[in-house]
């Protein structure tokens, strides 16, 4: 395991924190840099963003709202968020967003995902609804909704926006009230979004894993 995370930092990854546990025991290890400016190594209790693991939180809140009959899995996202998707896109159900069968095209929202330096510089930025709308303009569907499956972050961006639209509260507030506090995830948080962005998605948590579902001190994005 230690060998698998060795060789850091490299041009793509600065550091790594790994925790593995099960009935046969547990192991944790670190590698690379946790603080680039100071040149220090990461620590097992380092705080970091959990990235796409946040989708689990988003799905839970969405399904709670379904159980409360405030959202229907079969109703289109266009019904709830009119005008967010191009007018010529076919109806896409909430269920198809949840299981990545929407067929929506991938979009570039200026997050520099393929540019390590740019990604670091903009790691705390969140795309706005207007940016998503603009990025989708002129694009074509990847496939007809429900006919294939393709992992796509925009599906969950729309679900986060849907949560805000239906509840009238921020995404962070709903995740905190419905998931983090009931499960007593004391080292996990959904940072409030900047006022210049829409539906900021993210959670943070911390090791030991007995205190947080996501893992080490994390914050979602």
């Amino acid at each position: 395991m230690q060998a698998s995370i060795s060789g850091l930092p490299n041009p793509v990854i600065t550091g790594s924190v790994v925790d593995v546990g099960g009935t046969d025991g547990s192991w944790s290890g670190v590698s690379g840099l946790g603080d680039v400016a100071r040149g220090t190594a990461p620590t097992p209790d380092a705080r970091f963003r959990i990235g796409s693991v946040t989708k689990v939180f988003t799905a839970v809140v969405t399904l709670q709202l379904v159980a409360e009959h405030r959202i229907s899995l079969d109703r289109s996202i266009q019904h709830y968020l009119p005008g967010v998707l191009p007018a010529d896109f076919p109806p896409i159900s909430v269920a198809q967003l949840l299981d990545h069968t929407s067929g929506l095209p991938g979009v570039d929202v200026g997050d520099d995902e393929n540019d390590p330096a740019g990604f670091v510089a903009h790691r705390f930025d969140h795309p706005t609804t207007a940016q998503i709308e603009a990025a989708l303009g002129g694009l074509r569907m990847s496939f007809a909704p429900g006919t294939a499956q393709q992992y796509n972050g925009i599906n969950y961006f729309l679900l986060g926006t849907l949560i805000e639209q239906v509840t009238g509260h921020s995404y962070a507030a709903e995740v905190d009230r419905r998931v983090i506090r009931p499960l007593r995830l004391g080292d996990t948080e959904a940072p409030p979004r900047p006022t210049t962005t829409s539906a900021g998605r993210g959670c943070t948590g911390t090791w030991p894993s007995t205190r947080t579902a996501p893992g080490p001190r994390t914050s979602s994005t």
Side-chain angles (χ1 to χ4, degrees), residues 76-87 129 133 162 165:
S76 73
I77 190 65
Q78 290 96 325
H79 168 81
Y80 295 107
L81 303 175
V84 171
L85 297 181
T129 302
E133 291 178 34
L162 173 62
Q165 176 70 18

Side-chain angles (χ1 to χ4, degrees), residues 179-219:
V179 183
I180 293 175
R181 282 190 283 168
L183 293 180
R184 299 180 181 179
L185 304 181
D187 293 310
T188 300
E189 66 179 348
R193 60 182 169 87
T195 56
T196 56
T197 66
S198 173
R201 244 77 59 211
C203 300
T204 39
T206 224
W207 272 333
S209 57
T210 53
R211 297 190 62 194
T212 62
R217 254 183 209 284
T218 59
S219 68

Side-chain angles (χ1 to χ4, degrees), residues 21-111:
T23 56
D24 293 332
S26 62
W27 179 87
S28 64
V30 300
S31 179
L33 297 175
D35 189 319
V36 176
R38 297 179 181 178
T40 56
T43 60
D45 64 350
R47 197 166 190 83
F48 67 92
R49 297 201 168 212
I50 63 176
S52 286
V53 176
T54 298
K55 290 181 175 65
V56 176
F57 292 75
T58 305
V60 167
V61 175
T62 301
L63 291 173
Q64 286 181 351
L65 292 169
V66 170
E68 295 167 9
H69 305 291
R70 301 171 71 181
I71 291 175
S72 169
L73 288 174
D74 297 326
R75 184 157 280 179
S76 73
I77 190 65
Q78 290 96 325
H79 168 81
Y80 295 107
L81 303 175
V84 171
L85 297 181
D88 60 344
F89 277 23
I92 296 168
S93 72
V94 172
Q96 289 165 342
L97 294 176
L98 281 165
D99 66 8
H100 294 289
T101 60
S102 69
L104 286 169
V107 297
D108 178 5
V109 290
D111 55 9

Side-chain angles (χ1 to χ4, degrees), residues 119-141:
F119 186 84
V120 170
H122 299 287
R123 65 192 182 279
F124 299 125
D125 296 345
H126 296 283
T128 65
T129 302
Q131 284 177 300
I132 293 294
E133 291 178 34
L136 285 170
L139 297 181
R140 307 177 72 175
M141 294 285 292

